[in-house]
Amino acid sequence: MASSAPAPTSRLGKVVVAAMAGTVVEWYEFFLYATAATLVFNKIMFPPSDDPYAGIIAAFVTYAVGFIARPLGGIVFGHFGDKYGRKKLLQFAIILVGVTTFLMGCLPTYQAVGYLAPTLLVILRFGQGFAVGGEWGGGVLLVAEHSPDKSRGFWASWPQAAVPVGNLIATIVLLVLSGTLSDDAFLGWGWRIGFWLSVVIVAIGYYIRSRITDAPIFIEAREQDEKSARQRYGVLEVIKRYPRGVITAMGLRFAENIMYYLVVTFSITYLAVALKMETAEILGLVAIGHVVHMIVIPLVGGLTDRIGRKPVYGIGAVGAAVWGFVAFPMFNTQNPIVIILAIVLGLVIHSFMYAPQPAIMSEMFPTRMRYSGVSVGYQVTSIVAGSIAPIIATSLLSHFGSYIPIAVYLAIAAAITFIAVLSLRETRGASLHEIDRVDRERLRAESGAVPVVEAEEA
């Protein structure tokens, strides 16, 4: 079948908005939980303790449950997304994360029902993580598969920019609530409003996503798959056929994921507990960081189309290795301007790793298993990276009373990611149709139909 042309700019714009709408919703709710874990859940969902870090660590453990669920969501959504299409799975994901987040706002406290409170919180957190695990792969692929080869880095980075938008909205909601309510009112009922507001955002996101369609290249791949004697997709197939792509994606993800949650989650803990700063002031500083992050991500995505994926990602990995040693002394000044510079610096460095990911990972796998490939490579890493990063950092701070071990922890993660960058094949301007063609040739060769024209793994 002849290759179809990429979507015209007007249609591509609609696809970008649809992908971003869902991502904003899901990361609004995901970050709302992350912030509440530090400011609220550690005080009302767990047994009281004299150790100020004990409740925070307990809350971060439930936070980690969402990350554990994400690979499972990625596997399930990836399998059915490769089989039935990206759009249908994305619509289901946005509903699921909306329901679980709304129910979080209805939870009773530990004082009211004892250990049933954290138990229910864990169950809902698992459902939220499951949905977010399926969301990312579908959202970025919806854009990447519609994008022209020469500008895929720019367009596919826009769903990544929706993450700080969602985080910004969550931060503003919590900032308004914590700033207008007394501490007792905020802890008693005010925090629940942020979770209940998800219903409005979900409705808007679902409507926008209902107005778009899957990319022509996916429709072509599904037609090809239906003609074959054996339909081949899913996580086992992608691990069997493209192990290098999966492992490389995990390595690229490692430092990026750890750094993000150190900057946007653990920094709140450090500033609030170690430095005794006020909640409203911290949230205001983080909100500024999210605005900058949102602006920088598409700019970095465009840069990968001009100079390549590898050099941009390499800059991010090197910057991550240095950031911890620079940022924590800046935090310790307790000067708001210096603190926001540290947060912004961290998020800009993070952008150099985060913005290229959709293009890089979509160019690693053929269409018939791309959803599974990017979801597994992206989400499995979160179990040993972002999920435990705040726990490790809080434990290190509690034990050593110093930021140095935390900075070393991030530097080691950055070294692992830099090795993955070195092993990465440059894919700037790669044709997804050509990747599919090579994949089909390989399958035909295995069946004895034709020889393999290009044996090198895509």
Side-chain angles (χ1 to χ4, degrees):
M1 181 179 292
S3 298
S4 58
T9 303
S10 58
R11 188 173 73 185
L12 182 55
K14 293 178 181 178
V15 172
V16 169
V17 171
M20 291 185 68
T23 304
V24 166
V25 170
E26 306 210 3
W27 283 95
Y28 162 81
E29 292 156 349
F30 211 73
F31 185 74
L32 191 68
Y33 185 100
T35 306
T38 299
L39 302 178
V40 179
F41 292 156
N42 60 308
K43 299 176 182 177
I44 68 172
M45 291 293 178
F46 302 96
S49 172
D50 293 332
D51 183 355
Y53 293 106
I56 294 174
I57 292 174
F60 278 153
V61 169
T62 65
Y63 181 60
V65 168
F67 286 85
I68 295 172
R70 283 168 65 172
L72 180 59
I75 291 170
V76 174
F77 278 76
H79 177 84
F80 290 104
D82 284 331
K83 184 176 182 179
Y84 298 114
R86 291 49 166 132
K87 174 184 173 180
K88 293 178 181 178
L89 274 297
L90 288 174
Q91 288 176 307
F92 176 71
I94 200 173
I95 292 176
L96 179 58
V97 78
V99 170
T100 55
T101 305
F102 177 82
L103 291 177
M104 282 182 185
C106 303
L107 285 175
T109 65
Y110 177 85
Q111 289 74 17
V113 296
Y115 284 100
L116 179 61
T119 300
L120 293 174
L121 181 63
V122 167
I123 293 172
L124 292 176
R125 176 62 176 167
F126 187 90
Q128 189 186 57
F130 182 85
V132 172
E135 156 67 27
W136 184 84
V140 299
L141 291 186
L142 198 66
V143 179
E145 292 177 344
H146 276 92
S147 301
D149 296 337
K150 293 182 179 180
S151 56
R152 185 175 298 114
F154 171 73
W155 290 108
S157 69
W158 278 95
Q160 305 289 72
V163 172
V165 174
N167 291 347
L168 176 63
I169 296 173
T171 302
I172 290 173
V173 169
L174 288 172
L175 183 62
V176 171
L177 291 174
S178 63
T180 57
L181 300 174
S182 66
D183 290 342
D184 289 341
F186 180 72
L187 287 175
W189 56 269
W191 65 271
R192 299 179 185 273
I193 296 175
F195 288 83
W196 291 337
L197 284 175
S198 66
V199 173
V200 177
I201 305 174
V202 164
I204 296 172
Y206 183 87
Y207 173 77
I208 293 174
R209 282 194 167 171
S210 69
R211 314 298 291 178
I212 50 90
T213 60
D214 285 312
I217 191 173
F218 170 78
I219 297 172
E220 291 176 16
R222 186 167 59 179
E223 291 174 352
Q224 290 281 346
D225 197 46
E226 290 172 351
K227 294 176 183 178
S228 66
R230 175 174 167 237
Q231 296 185 7
R232 302 178 181 182
Y233 42 74
V235 61
L236 295 179
E237 179 75 2
V238 78
I239 291 174
K240 175 184 176 182
R241 301 286 179 179
Y242 294 87
R244 174 175 174 170
V246 173
I247 293 172
T248 302
M250 290 179 176
L252 294 174
R253 174 81 163 137
F254 192 64
E256 172 270 310
N257 198 221
I258 289 174
M259 181 171 187
Y260 186 69
Y261 288 100
L262 290 183
V263 176
V264 304
T265 300
F266 176 73
S267 64
I268 295 176
T269 300
Y270 187 80
L271 294 172
V273 179
L275 302 183
K276 311 299 182 184
M277 292 183 64
E278 294 295 326
T279 298
E281 183 179 11
I282 296 171
L283 291 176
L285 297 175
V286 174
I288 295 172
H290 289 319
V291 172
V292 176
H293 201 206
M294 173 185 64
I295 295 170
V296 170
I297 287 174
L299 298 178
V300 175
L303 185 64
T304 68
D305 291 322
R306 294 192 293 274
I307 69 173
R309 321 298 194 210
K310 288 186 66 171
V312 171
Y313 217 109
I315 292 171
V318 172
V322 175
W323 180 80
F325 297 99
V326 175
F328 286 101
M330 295 174 72
F331 288 154
N332 290 342
T333 67
Q334 299 192 43
N335 183 315
I337 296 177
V338 177
I339 291 172
I340 190 56
L341 288 176
I343 293 173
V344 167
L345 176 63
L347 292 176
V348 169
I349 292 171
H350 176 262
S351 298
F352 276 76
M353 297 183 286
Y354 197 53
Q357 284 179 359
I360 290 174
M361 294 186 188
S362 66
E363 292 158 354
M364 287 179 172
F365 308 101
T367 304
R368 68 186 176 92
M369 61 179 70
R370 184 171 291 124
Y371 202 154
S372 294
V374 301
S375 294
V376 171
Y378 187 88
Q379 302 296 357
V380 170
T381 315
S382 65
I383 296 178
V384 295
S387 70
I388 58 176
I391 299 172
I392 291 175
T394 304
S395 299
L396 290 173
L397 180 63
S398 177
H399 182 74
F400 292 101
S402 169
Y403 71 86
I404 296 294
I406 302 170
V408 172
Y409 164 53
L410 179 57
I412 293 172
I416 294 172
T417 290
F418 191 75
I419 293 172
V421 174
L422 294 179
S423 68
L424 181 68
R425 293 191 180 105
E426 181 57 66
T427 56
R428 176 171 62 106
S431 168
L432 301 186
H433 289 94
E434 178 62 15
I435 294 171
D436 286 353
R437 186 192 68 78
V438 173
D439 181 65
R440 286 195 298 270
E441 292 292 337
R442 183 175 298 141
L443 292 176
R444 289 170 184 164
E446 291 174 0
S447 67
V450 293
V452 176
V453 176
E454 298 178 40
E456 185 180 7
E457 185 180 84

